[in-house]
C-alpha cells in the first residue's frame, strides 16, 4: 500500500485550508468568477471530508480536479447569407476522464467565455460521477448566437465548428451533446459533418435524432429528471408534487419537459420565461398550451411574450418569475438567474422545494437562504443529471447497435434519479436532521472520481 493512502493522519499532519485553497485558485485563474463560484461551493463541502480522509489530501485530489486535463481554444470561420466572413471563438474543455470518456454539452451563446466552460466542465465532473455511469467530464461551445440566424447559417457555422472539433473527439475519447443554443438541429449538422470528415458512423455525439442513433427520452430527460428529483426529495417528507403550484423559468428544452413531467405528476405549472421576460398563467399551463410553446420555441423560434397574447396570460417584461408564489420551484434557464432577494421572496411565499434544472442558477447567497430556511434544495449537479444519464444510455445503445423502448429508458431514468437522490442523502444529513443535498452531492460525486484517480497513481 502506498504511504499516501495510509490512515489515520499522522501527528502534526497539515490539513487543507479552505481560505488558502480558494486564494490560490483565484490567483492561478484570474478573471473567472463563475469558475471560482462553482469551485467555492464544492470546496466548502468537500474540504472537511478530505481532512477526515487524508489520502485525498496527500494525493492532492482536489488541487488536481480543479485543473482541466486539457483546454482547447480555436477559431471558427464561416460565411453568412450575405457572403460576409464571420469569425467566432470555439472552445472545448476536457475536464476529467478519470471514470470514462469526456462527456458534456456544447453551448452556443454570445455571452460565453472560457470561464463559462470551466465552471460547467467542473460541475460536470461531479454530476457525471453521480449518475453511476462511466462518464468523465467536459464542456464546450462557442460565442456564436443561433438566434436570428437562418438554418443555412447555423448549418455553415456547425460545419466549420466541427471541422476543428473532429480532431479532439471520438466515441471513446470525448462525446459532446447539446446545451443552451444547441438542440436537435445543431446536433444533426454537427453529426453530419463529423460523419463526412471521418467516414465513420459512430456514437460520437449524443442528443442525436432517432433516425441516426438517438435515444428515446433523451430530449425529455433533463426536465423529467429534475421533476423526479423533486418528487424524491418530497417523498422523503411524505409529500408529493400532486396539487402543488410550480414556478418554472426558461422555455427551452429543460423548461418544456419540466412542465410536462409536472403535469404528469398532477402539479400546476404557472410560469415560463426567456431572456425578454416571463409569462404568468394563473389558470395553469396545460399540455395543449405546452405543445404550442414547443412549436413556438423549437420550430418557429419566437418569443415567450406571444404566449400571453395567445392564451390571455400576463407577460412581465425584463423580469424573472420568482415573485410568483409556488411551493415547488424549477430554475431552468441559466446560471445566476435567482439571487438572494428572489430566494427570500420565494420562501416568504411558501416555497418548500427547489430543483435546479439549469446549471448553477441560484447564486451562493440564494442557496444559503434556501438551506437556512430548510427548503428541500436539489442542486443542479444532482437534479439535472438525468440528461447526461440518458446520454450515457444513448452511448450504450450505440455501442450495442440497438434501441431500447421508451418505457425501458424512462424506467432507467427514474431509477437513476432515485439512485442519485439516495447517494446524495448518504452524505447530506446535518446534525439537526436536515438533508443538505448540496453537501451530499458534492461529497458523493467526489468520492468515485477521487478513488479512481488514486488507483491510477500520481499523474
Ligand atoms: P435552451 O437553449 O433550450 O433554453 C434556454 C432557455 O433559457 C431559453 O428560454 C433562453 O431564453 C433562456 N436563457 C438563456 N440564457 C439566458 C439569459 N442569459 N438570461 C435569461 N434567459 C436565458 O437550453 P436548455 O434548456 O438546454 O438549458 C437550460 C439550462 O439547463 C442551462 O443552464 C443548461 O446548462 C442546463 N442543462 C441542460 C441540459 C440539457 O440536456 N439540455 C442538461 C443539464 C443542464 P432565450 O431563448 O431568450 O435566450
Amino acid at each position: 500500500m502506498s504511504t499516501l493512502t495510509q490512515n489515520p493522519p499522522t501527528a502534526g499532519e497539515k490539513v487543507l485550508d479552505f481560505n488558502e485553497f480558494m486564494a490560490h485558485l483565484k490567483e492561478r485563474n484570474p478573471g473567472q468568477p463563475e469558475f471560482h463560484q462553482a469551485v467555492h461551493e464544492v470546496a466548502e463541502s468537500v474540504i472537511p471530508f478530505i481532512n477526515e480522509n487524508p489520502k485525498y489530501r496527500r494525493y492532492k485530489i482536489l488541487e488536481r480536479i480543479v485543473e482541466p486535463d486539457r483546454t482547447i481554444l480555436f477559431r471558427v470561420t464561416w460565411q453568412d447569407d450575405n457572403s460576409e466572413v464571420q469569425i467566432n471563438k470555439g472552445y472545448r474543455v476536457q475536464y476529467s476522464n478519470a471514470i470514462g470518456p469526456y462527456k458534456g454539452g456544447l453551448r452556443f451563446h454570445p455571452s460565453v467565455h472560457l470561464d463559462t466552460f470551466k465552471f460547467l466542465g467542473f460541475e460536470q465532473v461531479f454530476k457525471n460521477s453521480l449518475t453511476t455511469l462511466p462518464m468523465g467530464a467536459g464542456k464546450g461551445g462557442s460565442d456564436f448566437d443561433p438566434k436570428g440566424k437562418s438554418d443555412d447559417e447555423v448549418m455553415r457555422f456547425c460545419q466549420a465548428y466541427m471541422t476543428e472539433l473532429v480532431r479532439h473527439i471520438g466515441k471513446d475519447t470525448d462525446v459532446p451533446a447539446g446545451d443552451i443554443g444547441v438542440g436537435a438541429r445543431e446536433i444533426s449538422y454537427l453529426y453530419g459533418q463529423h460523419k463526412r470528415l471521418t467516414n465513420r458512423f459512430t456514437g460520437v455525439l449524443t442528443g442525436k435524432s432517432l433516425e441516426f442513433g438517438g435515444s428515446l427520452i433523451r430530449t425529455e430527460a433533463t426536465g423529467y429528471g429534475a421533476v423526479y428529483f423533486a418528487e424524491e426529495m418530497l417523498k422523503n417528507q411524505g409529500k408529493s408534487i400532486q396539487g402543488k403550484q410550480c414556478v418554472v423559468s426558461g422555455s427551452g428544452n429543460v423548461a418544456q419537459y419540466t412542465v410536462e413531467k409536472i403535469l404528469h405528476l398532477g402539479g400546476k405549472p404557472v410560469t415560463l420565461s426567456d431572456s425578454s421576460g416571463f409569462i404568468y398563467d394563473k389558470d395553469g399551463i396545460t399540455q395543449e398550451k405546452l405543445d404550442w410553446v414547443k412549436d413556438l420555441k423549437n420550430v418557429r423560434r419566437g418569443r415567450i411574450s406571444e404566449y400571453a397574447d395567445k392564451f390571455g396570460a400576463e407577460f412581465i417584461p425584463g423580469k424573472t418569475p420568482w415573485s410568483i408564489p409556488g411551493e415547488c420551484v424549477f430554475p431552468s434557464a441559466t446560471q445566476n438567474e435567482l439571487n438572494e432577494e428572489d430566494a427570500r421572496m420565494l420562501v416568504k411565499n411558501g416555497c418548500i422545494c427547489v430543483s435546479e434544472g439549469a446549471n448553477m442558477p441560484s447564486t451562493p447567497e440564494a442557496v444559503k437562504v434556501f438551506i437556512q430556511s430548510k427548503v428541500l434544495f436539489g442542486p443542479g449537479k444532482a437534479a439535472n443529471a438525468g440528461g447526461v444519464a440518458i446520454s450515457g444510455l444513448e452511448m450504450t445503445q450505440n455501442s450495442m447497435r440497438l434501441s431500447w423502448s421508451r418505457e425501458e429508458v424512462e424506467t432507467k431514468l427514474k431509477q437513476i434519479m432515485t439512485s442519485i437522490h439516495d447517494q446524495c442523502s448518504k452524505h447530506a444529513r446535518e446534525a439537526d436532521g436536515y438533508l443538505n443535498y448540496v453537501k451530499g452531492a458534492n461529497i458523493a460525486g467526489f468520492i468515485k472520481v477521487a478513488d479512481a484517480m488514486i488507483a491510477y497513481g500520481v499523474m
Side-chain angles (χ1 to χ4, degrees), residues 7 19 114 290 390:
N7 256 338
N19 293 326
L114 181 57
L290 175 63
I390 301 306

Side-chain angles (χ1 to χ4, degrees), residues 373-436:
S373 311
K374 310 290 174 207
V375 166
L376 297 169
F377 179 78
K381 63 172 74 71
N384 71 36
V388 74
I390 301 306
S391 276
L393 299 186
E394 184 174 330
M395 290 162 72
T396 307
Q397 293 169 80
N398 290 168
S399 296
M400 296 165 80
R401 299 205 185 282
L402 52 75
S403 305
W404 292 326
S405 71
R406 210 180 160 78
E407 292 68 32
E408 262 175 296
V409 185
E410 191 164 350
T411 303
K412 287 186 202 304
L413 171 64
K414 228 171 144 177
Q415 286 165 347
I416 290 172
M417 295 316 296
T418 305
S419 143
I420 294 174
H421 174 269
D422 295 349
Q423 287 180 72
C424 295
S425 304
K426 223 162 121 186
H427 298 277
R429 199 165 294 282
E430 301 283 16
D432 62 359
Y434 172 69
L435 286 179
N436 180 341

Side-chain angles (χ1 to χ4, degrees), residues 99-381:
I99 58 169
Y102 303 109
K103 181 90 200 84
L106 299 173
R107 176 176 292 192
F108 293 169
H109 195 276
S111 67
V112 301
H113 297 284
L114 181 57
D115 180 26
T116 322
F117 297 115
K118 283 184 67 182
F119 119 63
L120 288 165
F122 180 73
E123 290 278 289
Q124 200 85 37
V125 173
F126 301 86
K127 182 189 310 197
N128 292 4
S129 166
L130 285 171
T131 65
T132 70
L133 301 173
M135 295 184 292
K139 203 82 190 190
S142 173
D143 60 356
F144 172 77
D145 186 1
K147 234 181 269 157
K149 302 287 190 305
S150 70
D151 283 354
D152 285 350
E153 288 177 321
V154 171
M155 179 186 73
R156 285 196 292 274
F157 172 79
C158 288
Q159 290 177 345
Y161 180 84
M162 183 52 83
T163 301
E164 172 60 31
L165 192 70
V166 66
R167 67 187 86 222
H168 308 292
I169 63 174
K171 71 177 175 54
D172 300 316
T173 318
D174 183 355
V175 184
D179 191 78
I180 291 179
V182 179
R185 174 182 60 169
E186 290 76 15
I187 291 288
S188 302
Y189 291 144
L190 291 163
Y191 190 73
Q193 180 71 349
H194 187 276
K195 186 171 65 59
R196 172 161 73 175
L197 294 170
T198 59
N199 196 26
R200 277 167 181 246
F201 192 99
T202 65
V204 70
L205 292 170
T206 58
K208 300 186 292 297
S209 297
L210 296 176
E211 305 80 45
F212 47 91
S215 172
L216 287 159
I217 301 288
R218 172 59 189 94
T219 312
E220 295 88 337
T222 308
Y224 279 17
V227 181
Y228 283 140
F229 195 85
E231 190 74 346
E232 283 299 318
M233 292 193 292
L234 288 162
K235 199 166 87 187
N236 219 32
Q237 294 196 339
K239 297 176 183 154
S240 83
I241 285 177
Q242 171 95 37
K244 299 215 167 30
Q245 177 146 311
C246 300
V247 175
V248 182
S249 67
S251 51
N253 172 270
V254 178
Q256 290 168 19
Y257 291 97
T258 293
V259 167
E260 189 158 284
K261 189 47 72 182
I262 291 170
L263 290 171
H264 291 171
L265 298 185
K268 182 184 177 191
V270 291
T271 62
L272 281 170
S273 71
D274 63 18
S275 51
S276 55
F278 77 93
I279 60 103
Y280 171 44
D281 185 341
K282 62 176 176 11
D283 299 329
I285 301 166
T286 58
Q287 184 68 50
E288 196 189 348
K289 293 173 182 174
L290 175 63
D291 290 342
W292 184 89
V293 171
K294 288 182 190 170
D295 182 65
L296 172 78
K297 286 291 176 183
N298 310 343
V299 182
R300 290 186 286 128
R301 300 187 189 274
R303 310 305 296 156
I304 200 64
S305 54
E306 294 172 45
Y307 180 105
D309 303 333
K310 172 83 182 167
F311 298 111
E314 265 182 78
F315 173 65
I316 296 88
K319 298 267 189 249
T320 46
W322 315 128
S323 56
I324 304 299
E327 288 159 283
C328 300
V329 173
F330 297 89
S332 313
T334 194
Q335 63 267 21
N336 292 327
E337 56 167 319
L338 195 165
N339 64 25
E340 181 177 1
E341 201 185 321
D342 300 325
R344 288 196 191 288
M345 178 124 64
L346 285 165
V347 172
K348 190 172 132 242
N349 286 339
C351 163
I352 57 163
C353 172
V354 178
S355 186
E356 293 189 324
N359 284 309
M360 213 169 73
S362 312
T363 64
E365 298 77 23
V367 176
K368 232 170 238 155
V369 171
F370 289 133
I371 290 177
Q372 279 164 3
S373 311
K374 310 290 174 207
V375 166
L376 297 169
F377 179 78
K381 63 172 74 71

Side-chain angles (χ1 to χ4, degrees), residues 16-32:
L16 190 56
D17 180 82
F18 173 79
N19 293 326
E20 269 175 35
F21 174 82
M22 283 310 299
H24 188 58
L25 179 102
K26 288 179 184 173
E27 195 184 311
R28 283 165 63 88
N29 300 275
Q32 298 183 351

